[in-house]
Amino acid sequence: MKKILFSMVMLSTSFVVCAQQKQNDPRIPSNKDLVTYKLSKSPIYKDGWIDFNKNGKKDIYEDPNALIDDRIEDLLSQMTMEEKTCQMVTLYGYQRVLDDELPTANWNNKLWKDGMGAIDEHLNGFRQWGLPPSDNAFVWPASRHAWALNEVQRFFVEDTRLGIPVDFTNEGIRGVESYIATNFPTQLGLGHTWNRELIKKVGYITGREGRLLGYTNIYAPILDVGRDQRWGRYEEIYGECPYLVSELGVAMTLGMQTDYQVASTAKHFVAYSNNKGGREGLSRVDPQMSPREVENIHLYPWKKVIKKGGLLGAMSSYNDYDGFPIQSSYYWLMTRLRGDLGFRGYVVSDSDAVEYLHSKHGTSQNMKESVRQSVEAGLNVRCTFRSPDSYVLPLRELIAEGGLSMKTIDDRVRDVLRVKFMVGLFDTPYQMDLKAADREVNSAENQMIALQASRESIVLLKNENQTLPLVKEQIRKISVCGPNADDVSYALSHYGPLAVETISVLQGIKEKMKGQAEVFYTKGCDIVDANWPDSEILPTELTDVEQAEIDRAVANALKSDVAIVVLGENGRTCGENKSRSSLDLPGHQLDLLKAVYATGKPTILVIISGRPNSVNWADKHIPAILEAWYPGSQGGKAIADVIFGDYNPGGKLTVTFPKTVGQIPFNFPSKPASQVDGGRVNGLKGNMSRVNGALYPFGYGLSYTSFKYSDLVVTPSVITPKQDVTVRLNVTNTGNREGDEILQMYVRDIIGSVTTYEKNLRGFERVNLQPGETKEVVFTIAPEDLSLYNEEDKWVVEPGDFRIMIGASSTDIRLSDTLTVVSYQDSHMSSDTKKKVRTKWTGGKGDYLTLPVKDADAIDHVSVRWINLQKEPAHFDIQVSSGGGQFLTVFSGKAIDEGRMQSYKFNKTTVSDIRILITSGKASIAEVKIDKE
């Protein structure tokens, strides 16, 4: 069908052959043994409990009815130093570090004869970047995979002295990483759904399938907040807004940890996603942000997910912050994470975070010192692609030498055991219902949720003259081209299911129009050219071969009714260690798009990517643009559904699209006037010095229908710092199609003791409406939603006015009102006193009234209502400032027509402040209206 699927078919075929060749292997169970897992005849299995330490009596830690803390202390008291240190390390699974799929006699001579904290990615099919999935006999079917992990678990339960079960950890940011499992859009796509309930379902399915396959701890969600669109791992974040990341992170965690089916381990703690220049730097060194930004942006989701989601795991990042590596920072891993945030799970290292202390950061002399610093700082489990001996042996040396106290070791092991008890490993260490794994993993029901996620993640960026949706009955020939039209590699990479059936955009269109239209396809160009990325700064001419392929795309477009061009990025240009120096479409993709557009045929652009791209030419010329991110295995069907109107797109941007990489940092939220520049007039005689504004702002997204907002009510309108507020409004579908609208509530602290962001997202709701239908939407503003991190490094709610804004995006505000916070002592004032405001300003020659311009926008006129004019004429100047306190006169005139609004026009310019200066006479001003473009 296509090259990538052909390769996957070949992989599947080779797997089947391999499995058949191994059928005589006595280790492989028969199908009749893959219904319910059969316990061995070991006498340790009792009625309702397991005699893990094989002493013939029920110890406290073996008693399911005992308190978890009591069970932990009882077990800890029985553990030797060797057993404790083995709980502090991970063994990477088959074909990573571990040589064996199943236990062997030699395991009794290995380090893990004394137990093991975790085994990571065992039999999940992933081997290395760029290699096809593992073809061993235990990756599939699901029941056999679960059986194999049970057999590994049985070694730790039956063959180690205390029988401490191992924690089976695995990746899972777009479905649990397995040979086959339900395949969701990447996390960036999931973020664009703005749908908490959907994300909770995704989390539940990820955790449920993980546990059915035998895993007990899933590395998800990613709580990094994107701030630099060049960063390679942008595809793995929910978005650039800490509130949205926290809300979806809570939903994902609650879904995963339903009934403690698995532990959720979030990553990466902390300050990981804003490294210098967006570069990976391998150790992600030198993040560029102030301490206050770390608090407001990067720590915010962790606080919420730990408090509201009960997060059981945290992965410590291997970057530094302000010169201090997180991995060796007691402040970050203990004082902040455990002390301030209340985290009670266990901390696992990200890859070589420990080793980087001496090999990259240079804050440690050698591995032994790096181990000491990490454990002292708060690390519970080292997890990387190295032998566990490389960590445990220096750890034991440190204990023997007195470099680490047993109290510290006990504290670290206690956290690991707590998580193992909470997820039920000491009560049900095995996945008993093997048949359920075959029945539920990647089930049809779960795939429907994946399809919903793919549909809801798609954002309609442009739809000039209602180009979309296409009317099937009017289409007889369709041209499809572009490097992502027939490629689904984005759905089959690391951190998710590896070998599932996938639907490309081309396949989705063909299936949608089967029997109705002829579909012509040619690739058109590759994702990159032969000289990429050098060609981004030194563009190269098209080769004859490249030109011939574009010519084929043009020929197909000329004989078609419509042309669909599918561009963007893939694993070559985006992903871990794939940061970029440009946000433009790579390679010769723009050449292809321009050539197809030049045919004059209606052209639709579909972008499949893991980051925002600066598609300025497309935005100006192409009538319809869809952003699909990496939409998962169901992506091709979802995109076809949107193109042909079987689904009305409702996704909205959780990231900002800069017009050029030169604007970076350019993101949401931002400080007042931090993302605007001076002039607004271009050309030889203009005053612009750079490009201004976003290509597409945070929260933006179109629909095939329209929505009206009305009837905003904020109750109560005056509160104390400890009161909740209810915000109500109505939303109506005013179009003729069913559709989803994502309503967004923003809050602005108008005057604070420190500078706050222009808008803080503090509520959102995805609402489905039939044509003509109206629904009431209710938001709750809690005190924490109004709080700021003050100069004393405390989160407080300061008395004053707050602007409440309801919008269809961060720049499309439809309704607003003012909420007033008063101190408790002032809360008993009469409402008349609270609402008393100054009604006029009076000035004589030399006096002036200065007014700030919200968001420092471009304006070209100001309206003034004069009162109390005297017989002597009053003259005035209107002056503007573009920042820095310098005011320039843009209009001079005489105050006339008392009591009526007078509008005064001048050349449009970006303004931070307006000043009305009385140059002669005396006058009063009752009202000033600043009209923005």
Side-chain angles (χ1 to χ4, degrees):
M1 180 171 56
K2 45 186 158 312
K3 187 176 293 183
I4 184 66
L5 286 189
F6 176 76
S7 65
M8 293 311 304
V9 169
M10 293 304 294
L11 287 171
S12 300
T13 303
S14 65
F15 164 73
V16 172
V17 171
C18 178
Q20 289 174 344
Q21 290 172 344
K22 294 182 179 181
Q23 285 303 313
N24 294 327
D25 187 334
R27 300 179 304 168
I28 298 178
S30 64
N31 289 337
K32 64 182 178 63
D33 292 326
L34 294 177
V35 178
T36 301
Y37 185 66
K38 296 180 175 60
L39 298 176
S40 73
K41 296 182 179 180
S42 170
I44 69 170
Y45 300 107
K46 310 294 185 180
D47 184 15
W49 64 284
I50 300 173
D51 187 11
F52 289 103
N53 62 5
K54 298 90 178 168
N55 66 355
K57 67 174 185 177
K58 184 190 292 185
D59 292 82
I60 296 174
Y61 87 90
E62 297 165 342
D63 184 358
N65 296 316
L67 297 175
I68 285 182
D69 285 347
D70 293 340
R71 299 178 77 179
I72 293 171
E73 297 308 316
D74 179 57
L75 175 55
L76 200 59
S77 70
Q78 299 185 40
M79 296 172 70
T80 64
M81 182 271 289
E82 290 77 13
E83 289 164 336
K84 291 175 181 177
T85 52
C86 278
Q87 291 299 309
M88 298 173 66
V89 72
T90 286
L91 169 63
Y92 255 86
Y94 178 61
Q95 294 189 325
R96 309 302 297 280
V97 171
L98 188 58
D99 293 327
D100 311 305
E101 303 110 310
L102 300 176
T104 68
N106 194 40
W107 282 26
N108 291 303
N109 301 315
K110 296 288 188 178
L111 180 79
W112 48 94
K113 70 182 185 302
D114 293 315
M116 188 63 33
I119 297 181
D120 194 30
E121 296 190 34
H122 188 52
L123 299 177
N124 71 350
F126 184 79
R127 294 190 292 168
Q128 291 291 342
W129 294 99
L131 293 180
S134 172
D135 63 353
N136 79 85
F138 299 101
V139 295
W140 198 254
S143 55
R144 188 189 296 173
H145 182 282
W147 176 89
L149 263 60
N150 281 343
E151 288 296 290
V152 174
Q153 188 71 277
R154 191 161 66 87
F155 168 83
F156 291 97
V157 171
E158 295 183 5
D159 295 350
T160 64
R161 187 179 74 91
L162 294 178
I164 302 174
V166 71
D167 194 9
F168 282 110
T169 58
N170 197 8
E171 301 288 349
I173 60 172
R174 49 182 182 81
V176 63
E177 184 163 27
S178 177
Y179 189 78
I180 293 175
T182 303
N183 186 299
F184 297 99
T186 194
Q187 190 166 299
L188 182 60
L190 292 172
H192 281 78
T193 69
W194 297 67
N195 189 333
R196 296 178 185 85
E197 286 305 310
L198 175 61
I199 300 304
K200 188 175 181 180
K201 289 179 183 177
V202 171
Y204 175 77
I205 291 170
T206 300
R208 173 67 176 168
E209 291 189 356
R211 191 64 180 242
L212 287 171
L213 288 164
Y215 300 107
T216 51
N217 192 325
I218 305 298
Y219 292 159
I222 289 181
L223 297 182
D224 300 318
V225 182
R227 302 303 283 169
D228 190 326
Q229 293 87 339
R230 293 169 294 185
W231 188 44
R233 302 193 82 168
Y234 234 71
E235 65 183 50
E236 298 179 17
I237 62 169
Y238 285 127
E240 64 190 24
C241 168
Y243 179 84
L244 181 131
V245 171
S246 67
E247 290 292 296
L248 299 187
V250 167
M252 183 73 175
T253 300
L254 289 173
M256 289 175 63
Q257 293 188 172
T258 300
D259 299 326
Y260 292 113
Q261 58 186 0
V262 296
S264 168
T265 294
K267 50 187 185 178
H268 308 82
F269 188 84
V270 64
Y272 176 80
S273 57
N274 199 26
N275 28 295
K276 191 172 185 178
R279 290 180 284 271
E280 298 283 5
L282 298 184
S283 53
R284 280 68 168 175
V285 292
D286 205 12
Q288 299 291 287
M289 51 197 145
S290 68
R292 194 168 299 280
E293 183 173 351
V294 172
E295 297 294 332
N296 285 320
I297 302 294
H298 297 275
L299 204 62
Y300 186 97
W302 290 90
K303 176 172 62 174
K304 289 293 187 70
V305 176
I306 289 169
K307 179 181 178 181
K308 296 184 177 181
L311 187 71
L312 291 180
M315 181 177 286
S316 58
S317 57
Y318 43 65
N319 57 282
D320 72 328
Y321 176 66
D322 195 27
F324 298 95
I326 302 299
Q327 184 55 80
S328 59
S329 172
Y330 186 93
Y331 171 79
W332 285 113
L333 299 185
M334 294 297 291
T335 303
R336 300 307 309 279
L337 181 61
R338 295 193 180 281
D340 293 348
L341 304 187
F343 178 70
R344 296 200 69 218
Y346 76 76
V347 177
V348 60
S349 69
D350 183 2
S351 190
D352 270 359
V354 175
E355 284 76 4
Y356 281 174
L357 296 180
H358 60 270
S359 68
K360 292 191 182 297
H361 293 297
T363 55
S364 163
Q365 184 177 4
N366 51 38
M367 180 62 179
K368 189 173 176 179
E369 175 61 15
S370 296
V371 172
R372 187 194 67 78
Q373 290 183 11
S374 297
V375 175
E376 288 279 13
L379 179 67
N380 299 104
V381 175
R382 194 285 298 268
C383 176
T384 192
F385 314 101
R386 301 171 187 265
S387 163
D389 304 63
S390 64
Y391 182 80
V392 171
L393 296 183
L395 178 60
R396 290 175 178 175
E397 287 181 16
L398 286 163
I399 296 170
E401 296 166 358
L404 284 170
S405 69
M406 283 308 300
K407 179 184 183 304
T408 298
I409 299 299
D410 286 350
D411 285 345
R412 303 297 174 263
V413 174
R414 188 177 283 112
D415 296 327
V416 178
L417 296 179
R418 182 181 301 110
V419 173
K420 290 187 175 186
F421 276 111
M422 291 183 74
V423 299
L425 276 171
F426 285 90
D427 303 322
T428 54
Y430 308 113
Q431 200 292 81
M432 301 299 294
D433 192 352
L434 304 179
K435 207 61 185 174
D438 290 334
R439 186 171 59 249
E440 293 187 43
V441 175
N442 199 36
S443 66
E445 293 80 5
N446 290 351
Q447 288 186 54
M448 287 304 297
I449 301 300
L451 175 60
Q452 179 188 354
S454 297
R455 286 170 169 164
E456 291 194 15
S457 69
I458 295 172
V459 183
L460 180 61
L461 296 178
K462 185 180 179 183
N463 195 24
E464 189 176 82
N465 298 323
Q466 296 183 323
T467 299
L468 290 176
L470 298 179
V471 180
K472 299 177 190 177
E473 293 73 22
Q474 297 176 0
I475 306 294
R476 291 294 173 262
K477 294 180 179 181
I478 302 174
S479 164
V480 180
C481 68
N484 277 333
D486 200 27
D487 182 19
V488 290
S489 59
Y490 56 78
L492 301 171
S493 62
H494 196 16
Y495 302 126
L498 301 169
V500 297
E501 293 184 7
T502 55
I503 302 173
S504 71
V505 176
L506 176 63
Q507 183 183 2
I509 291 171
K510 283 184 174 180
E511 291 180 357
K512 183 70 65 176
M513 298 301 289
K514 187 175 182 180
Q516 282 190 259
E518 188 175 3
V519 179
F520 305 109
Y521 166 74
T522 190
K523 189 174 186 180
C525 69
D526 292 314
I527 287 287
V528 300
D529 59 64
N531 296 307
W532 192 85
D534 289 345
S535 57
E536 294 199 321
I537 58 174
L538 293 171
T540 57
E541 297 295 325
L542 289 161
T543 66
D544 291 342
V545 173
E546 291 169 335
Q547 184 63 61
E549 180 62 15
I550 289 179
D551 290 344
R552 282 189 284 273
V554 168
N556 284 344
L558 285 170
K559 61 185 179 182
S560 300
D561 300 311
V562 63
I564 299 173
V565 186
V566 190
L567 307 178
E569 302 195 53
N570 62 14
R572 174 67 180 85
T573 64
C574 189
E576 192 167 1
N577 298 319
K578 297 289 176 63
S579 293
R580 287 188 62 192
S581 52
S582 170
L583 295 180
D584 296 339
L585 292 171
H588 292 299
Q589 294 185 55
L590 186 55
D591 294 313
L592 171 64
L593 182 62
K594 287 181 176 180
V596 172
Y597 173 75
T599 65
K601 295 303 179 81
T603 303
I604 297 164
L605 172 60
V606 177
I607 306 171
I608 295 178
S609 62
R611 62 160 62 85
N613 295 118
S614 297
V615 288
N616 297 284
W617 188 92
D619 178 68
K620 184 174 181 180
H621 297 281
I622 303 300
I625 305 175
L626 290 171
E627 173 62 74
W629 309 110
Y630 291 154
S633 63
Q634 301 284 336
K637 176 174 173 52
I639 291 168
D641 287 343
V642 169
I643 289 175
F644 293 99
D646 294 317
Y647 183 79
N648 185 354
K652 296 203 175 186
L653 296 181
T654 66
V655 293
T656 300
F657 276 61
K659 292 177 180 175
T660 168
V661 73
Q663 293 175 291
I664 291 175
F666 198 86
N667 44 41
F668 176 90
S670 61
K671 296 288 182 64
S674 65
Q675 296 187 165
V676 297
D677 283 293
R680 288 287 177 139
V681 181
N682 58 12
L684 292 174
K685 297 182 180 180
N687 60 0
M688 283 183 69
S689 61
R690 68 182 301 174
V691 171
N692 289 316
L695 182 60
Y696 307 114
F698 177 87
Y700 170 84
L702 304 177
S703 171
Y704 295 156
T705 189
S706 56
F707 301 94
K708 177 185 177 182
Y709 296 17
S710 63
D711 307 314
L712 176 66
V713 178
V714 178
T715 309
S717 60
V718 179
I719 62 167
T720 69
K722 294 186 178 181
Q723 282 183 269
D724 287 350
V725 177
T726 300
V727 178
R728 297 177 182 273
L729 72 148
N730 290 330
V731 57
T732 303
N733 183 344
T734 55
N736 56 10
R737 283 179 176 268
E738 175 189 1
D740 290 358
E741 175 66 335
I742 298 171
L743 297 93
Q744 302 153 47
M745 179 176 68
Y746 298 92
V747 173
R748 170 75 184 272
D749 190 345
I750 297 175
I751 300 177
S753 60
V754 297
T755 302
T756 59
Y757 296 104
E758 289 179 324
K759 295 183 181 78
N760 284 298
L761 181 69
R762 287 298 181 259
F764 59 86
E765 199 68 41
R766 185 169 186 137
V767 180
N768 178 265
L769 293 165
Q770 297 295 323
E773 183 181 8
T774 297
K775 286 185 179 178
E776 183 183 56
V777 177
V778 180
F779 296 111
T780 298
I781 300 176
E784 63 185 24
D785 295 324
L786 303 176
S787 64
L788 58 75
Y789 194 64
N790 70 6
E791 58 187 347
E792 297 176 355
D793 297 337
K794 295 179 180 179
W795 287 96
V796 297
V797 179
E798 295 182 342
D801 289 339
F802 292 79
R803 185 176 295 116
I804 310 301
M805 297 163 278
I806 308 296
S809 80
S810 60
T811 60
D812 183 9
I813 302 301
R814 306 284 182 87
L815 303 171
S816 65
D817 202 347
T818 299
L819 170 69
T820 300
V821 177
V822 297
S823 64
Y824 184 76
Q825 291 79 5
D826 296 334
S827 64
H828 301 292
M829 295 189 306
S830 70
S831 58
D832 290 340
T833 303
K834 296 172 192 174
K835 294 180 180 179
K836 188 175 182 180
V837 296
R838 192 176 191 179
T839 58
K840 70 177 182 177
W841 173 88
T842 301
K845 181 179 179 179
D847 294 331
Y848 54 82
L849 172 66
T850 302
L851 299 168
V853 176
K854 181 170 164 268
D855 299 337
D857 217 327
I859 64 174
D860 62 3
H861 64 282
V862 172
S863 299
V864 180
R865 182 158 63 90
W866 303 96
I867 58 174
N868 298 338
L869 295 178
Q870 309 297 313
K871 290 183 179 180
E872 178 186 354
H875 293 82
F876 67 95
D877 287 348
I878 295 178
Q879 300 179 331
V880 300
S881 173
S882 297
Q886 180 180 3
F887 284 85
L888 301 175
T889 299
V890 293
F891 183 91
S892 297
K894 182 171 67 172
I896 59 174
D897 289 346
E898 180 175 351
R900 295 177 58 187
M901 291 295 291
Q902 299 294 312
S903 182
Y904 305 105
K905 292 188 66 67
F906 46 84
N907 290 333
K908 184 183 295 183
T909 188
T910 300
V911 177
S912 64
D913 300 272
I914 289 281
R915 175 174 290 175
I916 300 175
L917 169 68
I918 304 299
T919 57
S920 70
K922 184 178 181 181
S924 297
I925 295 175
E927 183 181 359
V928 178
K929 185 177 180 182
I930 301 171
D931 297 310
K932 296 187 292 183
E933 59 179 348

